[in-house]
Amino acid sequence: MSPRASVRPGGRSARVQQSVHQAVRDLEAERGRDALTVPLIATRAGVTPSTIYRRWGDLRELLSDVAVERLRPDAAPADQGSLRADLEAWVEQFAEEMSAPAGRTYIRDALLGDPEQGNAARCSDYAAEQLTAISVRAAGRGEAVPGVEALLDAVVAPLMYRILFRPSDMSAAYTHGLVAAALDRR
């Protein structure tokens, strides 16, 4: 992704980004992914194709940018009362959302359009922020908490592998097992 696209813009730039992202989502829902073209998206968004090319470079970069925004969590993880319960609830929801066809498509788009892996880092940061919120809350309750990197390695990494390559078993038993293994390593 271009450096310009990764910055949260303000003013006109923010409106352009919002209208282009909305056009992508609407057109994909109406016509299907294979029908998407930069000129079609530009027309729907009310901008010129050169605006899209200048900002995103190509369709793949645009789809990557849209995907990263769609992968951003809407809210902080729910407080379930304990570290284990918080992690289990978060991991279960994460697995459900990301293993759905739309979630897998967004993950692949985020990775495909980004040769410098900036979008992958943004997606990883989203998970780390969620795990940090859970960890801070647990520490505030006096619970022993593994480091965020340890949680990413023990829970998120195997989960992402399963989501992308072996999505057949994304059950609560599987996700809770990842949490149990991570907490037992402390």
Side-chain angles (χ1 to χ4, degrees):
M1 183 160 83
S2 73
R4 290 176 300 206
S6 65
V7 174
R8 284 192 135 338
R12 181 182 183 283
S13 188
R15 288 189 302 276
V16 167
Q17 180 178 0
Q18 182 180 8
S19 66
V20 170
H21 279 214
Q22 188 63 50
V24 169
R25 290 189 297 271
D26 292 347
L27 288 165
E28 188 172 15
E30 292 168 16
R31 299 183 183 201
R33 183 178 184 79
D34 293 339
L36 295 178
T37 65
V38 170
L40 183 65
I41 294 165
T43 299
R44 175 64 66 95
V47 299
T48 64
S50 64
T51 298
I52 292 175
Y53 289 122
R54 189 171 43 258
R55 181 170 182 134
W56 287 280
D58 60 23
L59 180 60
R60 189 168 63 182
E61 287 292 325
L62 172 57
L63 293 176
S64 180
D65 194 47
V66 170
V68 170
E69 285 302 310
R70 296 298 298 263
L71 291 169
R72 184 172 38 155
D74 294 333
D79 186 348
Q80 304 294 325
S82 72
L83 175 61
R84 182 176 300 272
D86 286 357
L87 285 172
E88 286 176 348
W90 181 81
V91 171
E92 202 173 317
Q93 179 182 358
F94 182 87
E96 181 181 314
E97 290 174 2
M98 296 302 120
S99 66
R104 286 194 317 268
T105 298
Y106 295 143
I107 292 167
R108 288 184 176 114
D109 280 350
L111 297 174
L112 282 176
D114 187 19
E116 300 302 318
Q117 295 301 304
N119 283 344
R122 285 174 62 199
C123 292
S124 178
D125 289 346
Y126 296 157
E129 289 165 8
Q130 295 279 291
L131 292 171
T132 297
I134 290 170
S135 297
V136 166
R137 191 167 50 223
R141 291 189 293 252
E143 296 179 76
V145 181
V148 170
E149 289 298 320
L151 290 172
L152 287 168
D153 290 344
V155 177
V156 178
L159 193 56
M160 289 303 294
Y161 179 85
R162 283 287 186 130
I163 288 167
L164 291 171
F165 302 113
R166 298 181 64 93
S168 60
D169 180 15
M170 299 304 292
S171 66
Y174 173 73
T175 60
H176 291 194
L178 291 174
V179 170
L183 295 180
D184 290 344
R185 290 181 187 167
R186 297 185 277 170

